[in-house]
Every structure is written in structure tokens, then in C-alpha cells.
Amino acid sequence: MSEAAHADDILDGNTQNSGTEQAANADDNGTVSVTVGGVVFDRSKNGSGASVGAVTSSTSWSPPACWYAPKFTPQELQDYLEPIWEADSTGYQWDAEQREKYNALDEKKGFHKDKTGEGFWWGSYVNKSYPPGWDKCDTDYFWVDKGDPPPADKENAVTPEVLAELAYAEIRVPGTKVTLAPAGATKVNLPTWAWLDGAEFKPVSVTASVQEIGISATATAEPVSLQIKAGTPDAETYPASGVCEIKDGRIGEPYEKGRANDTPSCGVKYLRSSGRGTFPLQATVTWKIHWTGTDSAGGDLPDGTLGATQAVVVQEIQAVNR
């Protein structure tokens, strides 16, 4: 039986009885950092507001569903395990093996008490949403000296790169409802301009750290393009690919009076009306994500996307004054 299976080790992704419980530090702007599962997340530079959402990887990759991080000091592990053994809830044989494993009968050296302050017992933590793979971190507690890397065979033991991947899961970006001109209802064969509020679409970042061992990583997401899908094959997009690149920090171009017959840099032209219904226009922003970490570590992570669908009414009027 593995200690990682105990319910209090996975409840909400936090240890309920160690020095790494969930805690938040807030300022006048609200929560800027929160400790979850042995990792501190600084979200002060993250996206905010009612419309924000989590990005989805553009590949099959996904952030770690579980990980290993410092969990107990020697005394904390002793205080945690001994009541379990004394309750006989796990069986005499297992209890005896565990006492031997942690040298529990040695008052001075048991649980590595002779190395207090020199390292930590590491254990598993789980993403509180329990995504696929949340139960794969089932290794018993293991000791790591301060300054030493975690064992190479412990997948997802926190390193700067793993912290960057965990920070990726915390990134929130603005929603992607585009502004259209004409607003309300557009017209057949008339270019419809589309753009996003450039003030909102700026780089966002989240920093993850494990303060006990002095490592950290920041994952930064930058918007790179907006993809428009008209919701019907009877339409043309601008540009033809439907992908509007970021230019001068702007996604698309706001419509200005007098440009009704101009070709928009980002938009769509519907070739038939939507009748009594609507067309589901889909707008998806792609965010390029990279990370930097302790000791000059860094690199790229898979692009993230966030999209939204909005109903567009297309009427059979061929001309309109704007």
C-alpha cells in the first residue's frame, strides 16, 4: 500500500496537515499568489475579468495532472504517519514494513530527523480538477537533500520546467468575442469587419515556485493570431486563410466611417442570408507560450488557444450606409 493513496494527500490537490497547505496572499487588487500542492502560484500578471478563460493546448500535450514536491519535514512526517500505524487501519504487516522503512524506532535518526533542516520528504499532489492521469503519482514519500535534484525516475517531480508546465495550467486569457461592423446584423455580399480590443490582448504570465527549495518558473502567453470561421461554407474570410495575424499589437482593425467598400484586414463576407436563423461565427485566438526559470532555464511550451462562438444575423440587403 502506498502512502500516496491516502485521501488527505489528494483532497483538493493539497496536503491537509503539513506545512504546504493552501494559503493565499492578497493585496488591494485581490489575490496575487496562492499555494496549491506545494507550489506557490503568483497570478498578479494573469488575465482578469469576467470573460477570461483557460487556454487549451494546440497539441495532444497537457500540463501535469499530478506532481511531486516537498511535503514534510522529518518531524511532520512522523506526526502524520504514526497515528495511522497506531490505528491499525492499514494492517499489521504493512505498518511494520513502514516503520522499518522510515527507521521509526530510532528516536534520533528515524524519519531522517538527524538531517532536519537539510532536506524534505517529497510526496505527491494532484490537480484538484482530477484530469486524466491524476492517479499516476503513486510513489511513496522519498527524501531529497536541499540542493540536490529529485530522483530522475520520479516523473513530474518539480523542476523549473515542471513548474512552467504547472504555471501553463493556471494561465487565463481574455475571452474572444469579436466586435463586428455592421453590428447587430450584417448584409449579404458586404464585408463585415472583425476586431478585438487591443487593450485586452496583451501578454499575460503566471509564476510558479517552490520556496522551500528555491526554484521557480514563469510561463508567459502572447497573442499571435485570430482565426475566423464563418459558420457556413457560403462565405469568404479576410484574409482567405481566415487567420488574422497580430500587427502593431492589434488584432484586426476597427471599422471607420466611409470605409464600407474597403476590404478589411480581418473579417468575413457572407454570400447568402441566414434566413430566420443565424450563422455561428467562431473566433479563436492562438497564444504563443514560453517560459523562463531558475538558473537561466527556459524554452517553449505548446501554443494555447481560446475560442468562442457568437451568432451572426445576415440579411438579404445588398447595400447599406454606414
Side-chain angles (χ1 to χ4, degrees):
M1 181 176 177
S2 166
E3 290 99 324
H6 291 313
D8 59 353
D9 289 344
I10 61 176
L11 182 61
D12 288 335
N14 310 308
T15 301
Q16 302 302 304
N17 54 359
S18 77
T20 51
E21 295 178 7
Q22 176 166 319
N25 298 315
D27 61 11
D28 293 338
N29 296 320
T31 300
V32 298
S33 64
V34 62
T35 304
V36 180
V39 177
V40 177
F41 294 101
D42 182 345
R43 300 169 178 155
S44 60
K45 297 180 181 179
N46 208 4
S48 60
S51 69
V52 299
V55 294
T56 301
S57 170
S58 59
T59 70
S60 59
W61 177 87
S62 60
C66 64
W67 59 92
Y68 297 101
K71 198 159 194 174
F72 295 109
T73 65
Q75 187 63 54
E76 286 174 341
L77 183 60
Q78 180 179 5
D79 293 344
Y80 173 60
L81 288 179
E82 285 189 337
I84 296 174
W85 300 337
E86 292 171 1
D88 291 328
S89 60
T90 49
Y92 174 82
Q93 179 69 25
W94 184 81
D95 292 348
E97 292 174 353
Q98 292 295 298
R99 286 190 174 96
E100 181 178 356
K101 173 182 176 180
Y102 296 107
N103 194 20
L105 299 181
D106 190 321
E107 293 185 3
K108 293 184 177 180
K109 296 184 178 181
F111 302 95
H112 282 322
K113 285 190 289 186
D114 57 325
K115 301 182 74 174
T116 297
E118 299 176 15
F120 294 94
W121 288 100
W122 288 42
S124 64
Y125 296 89
V126 174
N127 184 310
K128 63 182 179 181
S129 65
Y130 299 98
W134 69 267
D135 55 349
K136 289 185 177 180
C137 298
D138 57 1
T139 297
D140 287 356
Y141 303 118
F142 55 92
W143 179 265
V144 179
D145 286 331
K146 286 184 178 179
D148 287 350
D153 63 340
K154 299 297 189 290
E155 186 178 1
N156 291 345
V158 290
T159 61
E161 183 170 6
V162 170
L163 288 178
E165 294 172 351
L166 293 174
Y168 184 112
E170 298 295 316
I171 289 174
R172 299 294 180 267
V173 297
T176 53
K177 182 177 181 179
V178 296
T179 302
L180 301 175
T186 189
K187 317 300 175 183
V188 171
N189 291 326
L190 185 70
T192 299
W193 296 57
W195 68 93
L196 289 164
D197 184 352
E200 293 185 6
F201 284 82
K202 295 181 178 180
V204 299
S205 65
V206 173
T207 297
S209 62
V210 179
Q211 298 171 346
E212 292 87 348
I213 57 177
I215 63 172
S216 65
T218 299
T220 300
E222 299 182 64
V224 293
S225 64
L226 166 69
Q227 182 177 42
I228 296 289
K229 293 184 178 180
T232 172
D234 297 317
E236 298 175 358
T237 56
Y238 305 102
S241 64
V243 177
C244 308
E245 302 291 341
I246 303 295
K247 292 184 178 180
D248 300 325
R250 186 168 60 187
I251 305 177
E253 185 179 6
Y255 172 76
E256 296 178 356
K257 187 175 181 179
R259 302 187 64 184
N261 295 319
D262 291 355
T263 299
S265 61
C266 184
V268 61
K269 179 170 70 175
Y270 288 96
L271 305 180
R272 68 178 178 88
S273 78
S274 57
R276 295 183 178 180
T278 59
F279 290 132
L281 182 143
Q282 186 177 48
T284 302
V285 173
T286 295
W287 297 76
K288 184 176 180 59
I289 301 177
H290 63 275
W291 68 277
T292 57
T294 309
D295 298 329
S296 301
D300 293 327
L301 292 169
D303 290 348
T305 62
L306 180 65
T309 300
Q310 58 199 86
V312 177
V313 176
V314 182
Q315 299 175 341
E316 280 282 10
I317 302 175
Q318 299 301 312
V320 65
N321 294 320
R322 286 199 254 182

